[in-house]
Amino acid sequence: AHVALAAVKLWREFDLPGGERGFRKAIDLNPGYATAHLWLSLYLAAVEMIDESLSEIKLAHELDPLSRVINLNLARVFYFARQYDESIEQCRKTIEMYPDYLIAHRRLGIAYGEKGMFEEAEAEFKKTLSLSATDTETMSAMGYAYAAAGRIEDARNVLDRILEISKEAYVSPYSLARIHVGLGEIDEAFEQLEKTYQERHGILIYLKVEAAFDRIRSDPRFPDLLRRIGLR
């Protein structure tokens, strides 16, 4: 119950101190509860306490080594730490255990993209979309990678496809923001990030460690958004 309430505080209310307290209280009550260590790790990553985050996620992995979510998030924390080789290796291990785990394929493609391994990234995103052809989060990551590789027309085609899907189903504005950043459309990116904030989407707590947004950190709108989220 403490972990569940802390999750709401962190990812919905942007109450980062409240989230941390709840996760730590749960660990005090049950030090062997892997989920509490996992979610504390994600909080620590969000506030750039990367060494502590890695320690917590590795402990969670020791407690529950077969959890696909924990295996995936070990790769994710390596990614936040900019340890892309380790992230790629952990994604591969996760996929070996769970071959059809869509999010692991997406995460592997993202890590490849940040290493500049764009052919490998494209192949992995296509594998992901073979599992779910309308997964807009994967399309977003793919569009961003296309833009980073200089394949502007391909990136715009992906963006157009996401916008078509948005006419029939919900699409997170965060997904649109990522592609706009890749295309250098900074005003449009901040417009979509503001919409994401208004939706109280928990993905925003990772803005300080998400590599896709490195190129807009110097914009004065970025620290203002961080402040409103509760990141300092």
Side-chain angles (χ1 to χ4, degrees), residues 77-85 208-211 214 217:
V77 175
F78 279 134
Y79 169 84
F80 287 149
R82 305 298 199 268
Q83 297 179 22
Y84 299 127
D85 289 333
K208 293 181 79 173
V209 289
E210 174 50 65
D214 282 353
R217 297 187 193 285

Side-chain angles (χ1 to χ4, degrees), residues 118-137:
F118 296 117
E119 290 184 8
E120 292 84 352
E122 180 181 32
E124 207 59 42
F125 291 137
K126 287 181 176 178
K127 288 180 186 177
T128 312
L129 292 172
S130 74
L131 297 169
S132 177
T134 58
D135 182 60
T136 53
E137 289 189 46

